[in-house]
Amino acid sequence: MKRTARAFWLRSPGDGEIRDVPLPEPAGDDVVVRTLFSGVSRGTESLVFRGGVPESQHTAMRAPFQDGDFPGPVKYGYLNVGSVEEGPPHLVGRTVFCLYPHQSRFVVPATAVTPVPDAVPAGRAVLAGTVETAVNALWDAAPLIGDRIAVVGAGMIGCSVAALLARYPGVRVQLVDADPARASVAAALGVGFALPDDALGGCDLAVHASATEAGLTRSLELLAPEGTVLELSWYGDRRVSVPLGEAFHSGRLVVRASQVGRVSPARRSHRTFADRLALSLELLADPAFDALITGECAFEELPSVLSQIAAGDLPGLCHRVVYDAAGASPDRL
């Protein structure tokens, strides 16, 4: 009997649906994975949902197992945790993470999945892709013991960076956001919190992840002389202004981009994508990361939920999608 699954597709900007999709027959080196959870990467998936990916970035922004093309129809996403039903014996029955879109079952090469450590709950493992971005950012930034650091923007990425920085000895790290409700998330992560006007200055490093002009400006203002802003925001098709007057030149300030699509040059010679992802999953053994999961819905509700997230009507951090027994039932094989 032909294998099928259910998948979320963006028909056109602002218009998503759940479709039945065929599954290929697995080859000898493939795995068949039944999805348990997927996660919505709010910033990127909102841009995709709104059709905001610039044409010049259509190739660069392709997800590893994306179907279709921007602006649509397209099947997009990359935070998927499931259970291996078929494949090599050492993987059958294992919970794995894969950079796969929102889909109830899928077939991929065994090399495309990463086993989730036993100490990491499957529901928390949807954060692996976000934590991987944070790991790469800190490889880029190379913070030093005793540094004073501001993380501006308490979204999924900013919070993940702050959570990792909390483990650095002697570092003063402050999470900065315009939403006072994010103070509770900062407390759960073990870092300080401030509204933008109250943030501590004199920073050696500011990690910017708010995707706003105001956030980037404030990041520069918080730097000590010769400090660096590590820019993690992606603005899609929006243009932003950067204040390069005032103290920018006299302070010899630096604005540096970081992006997860390549392993940081600081580690590229001896760390692979697989190494980076495996490390990220190991780091998720810390239950503090549960504070980053602030919403949940059933898979069948995803078209409506993504519309609300993209419109800004459903605030929060990571939104987790649950695949129930009906959505991934054996009768779909």
Side-chain angles (χ1 to χ4, degrees):
M1 186 179 296
K2 188 175 182 180
R3 301 170 184 257
T4 63
R6 301 274 284 161
F8 173 78
W9 274 78
L10 184 67
R11 281 188 296 233
S12 61
D15 183 17
E17 66 177 352
I18 304 293
R19 296 182 182 177
D20 287 317
V21 296
L23 291 182
E25 284 299 315
D29 57 353
D30 287 343
V31 289
V32 180
V33 179
R34 175 175 59 86
T35 301
L36 302 172
F37 303 97
S38 62
V40 176
S41 181
R42 281 180 176 265
T44 304
E45 292 194 53
S46 292
L47 277 169
V48 171
F49 193 87
R50 296 194 301 263
V53 179
E55 186 174 352
S56 65
Q57 296 300 302
H58 282 188
T59 298
M61 284 302 299
R62 287 192 68 86
F65 293 100
Q66 173 180 322
D67 280 340
D69 298 297
F70 303 119
V74 63
K75 183 177 74 175
Y76 193 84
Y78 46 80
L79 301 174
N80 193 302
V81 177
S83 177
V84 176
E85 296 186 320
E86 301 177 40
H90 70 284
L91 287 175
V92 172
R94 291 293 305 270
T95 301
V96 295
F97 177 85
C98 185
L99 296 166
Y100 204 88
H102 307 283
Q103 183 166 311
S104 63
R105 260 192 181 86
F106 56 92
V107 179
V108 294
T111 54
V113 301
T114 303
V116 174
D118 292 340
V120 179
R124 190 188 302 155
V126 296
L127 296 169
T130 305
V131 174
E132 185 181 13
T133 301
V135 167
N136 207 58
L138 293 180
W139 282 351
D140 279 336
L144 301 176
I145 186 170
D147 272 358
R148 298 171 179 178
I149 303 174
V151 180
V152 180
M156 288 173 62
I157 300 298
C159 285
S160 295
V161 170
L164 296 184
L165 284 171
R167 306 172 181 218
Y168 279 62
V171 165
R172 185 195 79 187
V173 55
Q174 190 172 56
L175 192 57
V176 180
D177 198 274
D179 182 359
R182 295 295 162 88
S184 61
V185 178
L189 298 176
V191 300
F193 176 82
L195 296 172
D197 289 344
D198 302 325
L200 298 172
C203 293
D204 305 285
L205 170 68
V207 179
H208 180 233
S210 80
T212 66
E213 282 190 16
L216 178 54
T217 298
R218 190 64 180 132
S219 297
L220 285 164
E221 292 170 347
L222 294 174
L223 292 179
E226 300 190 343
T228 295
V229 170
L230 189 75
E231 177 60 276
L232 286 177
S233 301
W234 191 63
Y235 301 90
D237 56 0
R238 288 183 294 137
R239 291 183 177 272
V240 298
S241 297
V242 183
L244 300 183
E246 301 181 14
F248 183 78
H249 281 84
S250 62
R252 297 176 58 85
L253 305 182
V254 174
V255 178
R256 181 180 180 189
S258 178
Q259 205 272 340
V260 74
R262 294 186 180 183
V263 174
S264 168
R267 295 292 180 270
R268 195 177 298 164
S269 66
H270 55 287
R271 299 288 181 89
T272 65
F273 287 107
D275 293 332
R276 190 179 65 185
L277 182 54
L279 170 61
S280 302
L281 281 163
E282 291 173 10
L283 292 168
L284 281 169
D286 186 346
F289 282 102
D290 286 335
L292 274 61
I293 299 173
T294 58
E296 192 172 85
C297 71
F299 172 56
E300 298 293 334
E301 298 174 306
L302 187 56
S304 172
V305 166
L306 263 175
S307 178
Q308 295 175 67
I309 289 174
D313 297 331
L314 189 61
L317 297 172
C318 180
H319 195 92
R320 184 167 58 197
V321 182
V322 180
Y323 293 71
D324 59 21
S329 60
D331 61 7
R332 292 198 174 275
L333 286 179

